Amino acid sequence: MKTMILILTLMSISLVGCSSGESDSKAGSASSAQSSKEIYTCPMHPSVISDRPGACPVCGMALVRKSTVQEMSDEAKANLQAVSLSPTQRVMANVTTEPVARRSFRKTTSSVGVVDYAEPMQATVSARFRGRIEKLHVSFTGQQVEKGEPLLDLYSPDLASTKQEFVTSLEALQRTTTTGDEINRSVQERLVQATRNRLKTHFGMTETQIAELEKTKEFSSTMRFHSPIRGTVVLKQVQEGQYVDEGMVLYQLVDLSKVWVYVDVYEKDIRFARVGQPIEVMSEAYPNRVFSGTVTFIDPVINNETRTVRVRAEFDNPQGALKPKMFVRAELITPVNNVLVIPASAVLATGRRTVVWVETQPNTFEPRDVKLGASSDSFYEVVSGLKQGELVAVTGGFLLDSESALQQPSSGDAHVGHSASDRKSSDAASTVEDGSVNILVKGRYIPDVVRVKQGKKVTFNFYRDEDSDCTNEVIFEEFNIRRKLPARKTTSIELTPASKGEFHFTCGMGMVHGRLLVE
């Protein structure tokens, strides 16, 4: 019996061992097959993937072998997009970092505007009574006049009779004073006062003119009109000998020592416009001169057609350099105090995502989605995604992005700047919000569709991360622009689309294409 039990035990152990060995063998075979899974890709076009050797359908280069695994741990997936460089590679790629820090800067919002008259500095000279223009002292539009300077003499029979009545009343008042007739004197005083008021209110005579008439007792049938302000004649509507009616506008005068500038601010920049903030304008008439003013009013209603808000600013104009109806370029200056910022060169905008490369360990970088706020020429405000003191790559970001794409196990879907969904969105239309767009040149333009606003200056920053002669230059045919694109360098091209429509940019050989949509 003991012998039988021993035999059964040995048989069980043997069966278990065989089963375990068979399972281990199958697992090892699966692991071996999995690890030996091979795919082929084009060095110039990482999006081209094949399971067998061959030629790239885009550029014709031979596909190179690239091994991958089908299953990855969660930790491996989390670290998949990280890029590690050797110290030599870092120097060759010119990757430099700066810490995220707090600082203050000036946010500049660019716009366009037009110069106009300052409403409180205007004056209108109208005919206070009917008559005929006897003489013009100011005879043309644009003439400079001083305050109190004579403008014209207006003849009126009614004026002559009223002056005669005033002089007669004065003489009657003097006679009653001599005779001592108090009742008669009181009546004459009221008559003199009534006539005096009519000369002032109806005919517009000044106290000085009435006092002169009262002193000399001499009068004419004309009334002289004087300039109420020092300024420029911008409207003249009479000629000598012309008859005018009561209330007719004769002259319009404007003091141009102060002017208003109306600026149209886009809806997205409304929060940067504040009453009392400084504003600077430049004009093509004075290319090296900057005029400084102050915002005095912000329109409470948005223009439904242009989606802009009209902002009014006041400028001192003692020399008359700013002329009404002149077009100007305006910059609203808004101070942004003590905020978390990163250099503008650290930001990679891909359309739907905004990415920054963060150095998590020495020479190891990972992409980080960030949300940005106000910006200047040199800095972006960080709303979320980064902490103070973290190191971000301020140069070499395009190379890190490209290296991350080449290291991915699939057709580039895990590309930090251009994931599968983001790439489709970016190719559909990358909208320019802050006046510039970064385009990676690597077998194609990424993004290859850019949407901009009509009349707004846009800067294209091309980074060519390849040595192919096909893409060594870019051509904007409709704008008559042709520029060389040195390898591993950023080339900036500025243009201002004057009309709406679809325009194209291509490589020198016409094989790589991009579209510019102007709205």
Side-chain angles (χ1 to χ4, degrees):
M1 186 65 180
K2 292 181 179 180
T3 303
M4 182 64 67
I5 294 173
L6 179 60
I7 292 172
L8 291 174
T9 302
L10 292 174
M11 291 177 63
S12 299
I13 294 173
S14 175
L15 290 173
V16 171
C18 291
S19 175
S20 175
E22 184 179 357
S23 299
D24 291 345
S25 176
K26 290 180 179 180
S29 299
S31 176
S32 175
Q34 184 182 35
S35 62
S36 62
K37 175 72 174 180
E38 294 180 347
I39 60 175
Y40 295 82
T41 185
C42 174
M44 296 292 294
H45 305 91
S47 60
V48 176
I49 299 296
S50 176
D51 58 355
R52 59 179 61 87
C56 175
V58 179
C59 63
M61 291 183 62
L63 301 180
V64 297
R65 185 172 60 185
K66 183 177 179 182
S67 298
T68 185
V69 297
Q70 297 298 319
E71 299 294 336
M72 293 182 292
S73 65
D74 292 340
E75 182 179 359
K77 291 179 180 179
N79 296 327
L80 184 61
Q81 294 178 342
V83 174
S84 296
L85 303 176
S86 68
T88 302
Q89 289 175 322
R90 179 167 181 167
V91 173
M92 294 287 291
N94 191 29
V95 178
T96 60
T97 59
E98 288 187 16
V100 181
R102 289 190 174 274
R103 63 172 298 162
S104 300
F105 64 92
R106 299 199 317 170
K107 160 67 179 177
T108 301
T109 304
S110 300
S111 185
V112 294
V114 62
V115 182
D116 206 346
Y117 307 125
E119 292 180 6
M121 310 294 285
Q122 300 184 66
T124 299
V125 179
S126 302
R128 303 176 72 100
F129 50 88
R130 299 180 65 185
R132 184 183 72 246
I133 305 298
E134 192 73 15
K135 181 177 177 58
L136 287 180
H137 299 281
V138 174
S139 56
F140 63 90
T141 303
Q143 187 170 341
Q144 300 286 331
V145 295
E146 298 293 331
K147 183 176 182 179
E149 183 176 337
L151 300 176
L152 60 88
D153 294 337
L154 181 61
Y155 165 79
S156 172
D158 292 339
L159 174 63
S161 63
T162 304
K163 286 183 178 180
Q164 178 65 57
E165 183 180 346
F166 179 67
V167 172
T168 303
S169 300
L170 286 175
E171 291 174 348
L173 178 60
Q174 290 178 354
R175 286 195 300 269
T176 57
T177 302
T178 304
T179 60
D181 188 350
E182 292 296 330
I183 297 176
N184 227 2
R185 186 168 67 84
S186 177
V187 172
Q188 291 301 325
E189 284 179 349
R190 288 196 298 271
L191 183 58
V192 169
Q193 186 61 38
T195 310
R196 181 192 299 271
N197 290 339
R198 187 159 184 254
L199 288 173
K200 288 176 58 178
T201 58
H202 182 70
F203 293 101
M205 291 184 65
T206 64
E207 289 288 351
T208 303
Q209 291 173 323
I210 295 175
E212 182 69 19
L213 177 61
E214 185 176 357
K215 178 181 178 181
T216 62
K217 305 293 191 302
E218 297 178 358
F219 61 89
S220 67
S221 58
T222 61
M223 173 73 178
R224 177 163 291 180
F225 286 74
H226 298 83
S227 174
I229 63 172
R230 178 185 182 276
T232 303
V233 178
V234 295
L235 179 65
K236 168 185 166 290
Q237 300 196 119
V238 291
Q239 301 292 337
E240 284 190 5
Q242 178 180 345
Y243 282 87
V244 297
D245 289 327
E246 181 179 345
M248 178 179 175
V249 175
L250 308 178
Y251 292 95
Q252 188 168 355
L253 311 174
V254 176
D255 184 355
L256 296 178
S257 61
K258 284 185 184 293
V259 293
W260 284 354
V261 174
Y262 291 98
V263 178
D264 293 325
V265 177
Y266 285 106
E267 188 174 357
K268 67 182 181 64
D269 295 323
I270 293 176
R271 68 185 187 277
F272 300 119
R274 305 167 188 170
V275 173
Q277 76 180 111
I279 182 174
E280 295 178 348
V281 300
M282 292 73 70
S283 170
E284 292 184 356
Y286 314 100
N288 297 322
R289 187 172 178 182
V290 177
F291 300 89
S292 299
T294 305
V295 174
T296 57
F297 179 76
I298 300 174
D299 198 325
V301 180
I302 294 179
N303 186 310
N304 191 44
E305 295 181 356
T306 62
R307 308 307 301 172
T308 59
V309 170
R310 173 154 284 198
V311 174
R312 188 183 72 211
E314 185 174 291
F315 289 78
D316 290 328
N317 191 36
Q319 300 176 349
L322 291 175
K323 302 185 183 302
K325 310 308 176 185
M326 176 183 285
F327 288 105
V328 294
R329 301 186 308 276
E331 291 185 348
L332 284 166
I333 302 171
T334 307
V336 182
N337 299 319
N338 193 30
V339 294
L340 209 61
V341 300
I342 55 175
S345 59
V347 178
L348 300 179
T350 68
R352 293 181 58 187
R353 302 176 63 196
T354 303
V355 180
V356 172
W357 284 91
V358 181
E359 186 173 15
T360 56
Q361 297 179 11
N363 296 325
T364 299
F365 299 84
E366 71 175 23
R368 189 83 57 80
D369 286 351
V370 295
K371 185 177 180 181
L372 304 178
S375 64
S376 67
D377 292 337
S378 304
F379 298 98
Y380 276 102
E381 176 189 4
V382 179
V383 177
S384 63
L386 293 172
K387 297 180 180 179
Q388 185 173 354
E390 288 186 302
L391 295 176
V392 296
V394 296
T395 60
F398 276 116
L399 288 172
L400 294 171
D401 194 29
S402 302
E403 182 65 21
S404 173
L406 291 173
Q407 292 180 5
Q408 302 311 310
S410 63
S411 61
D413 289 347
H415 194 299
V416 57
H418 307 278
S419 65
S421 60
D422 288 347
R423 183 177 298 170
K424 292 178 182 178
S425 172
S426 176
D427 291 348
S430 178
T431 302
V432 177
E433 297 290 347
D434 59 355
S436 66
V437 59
N438 298 325
I439 298 180
L440 175 65
V441 183
K442 194 173 180 67
R444 67 186 187 112
Y445 298 125
I446 307 174
D448 59 1
V449 181
V450 180
R451 192 187 304 274
V452 301
K453 295 290 185 181
Q454 178 187 4
K456 185 175 182 181
K457 183 176 72 173
V458 60
T459 302
F460 291 82
N461 300 313
F462 289 91
Y463 184 85
R464 179 166 158 256
D465 188 23
E466 59 184 3
D467 298 315
S468 172
D469 292 338
C470 173
T471 57
N472 65 358
E473 66 178 353
V474 63
I475 302 172
F476 290 80
E477 185 174 355
E478 290 90 347
F479 298 92
N480 197 25
I481 295 176
R482 178 187 291 264
R483 291 285 297 275
K484 291 291 185 180
L485 300 181
R488 312 303 188 280
K489 292 184 179 180
T490 300
T491 303
S492 297
I493 299 176
E494 292 184 353
L495 57 87
T496 304
S499 59
K500 296 181 180 180
E502 179 176 320
F503 305 93
H504 299 83
F505 53 97
T506 64
C507 68
M509 300 176 65
M511 298 180 63
V512 181
H513 300 269
R515 291 187 297 155
L516 175 62
L517 305 180
V518 182
E519 300 177 341

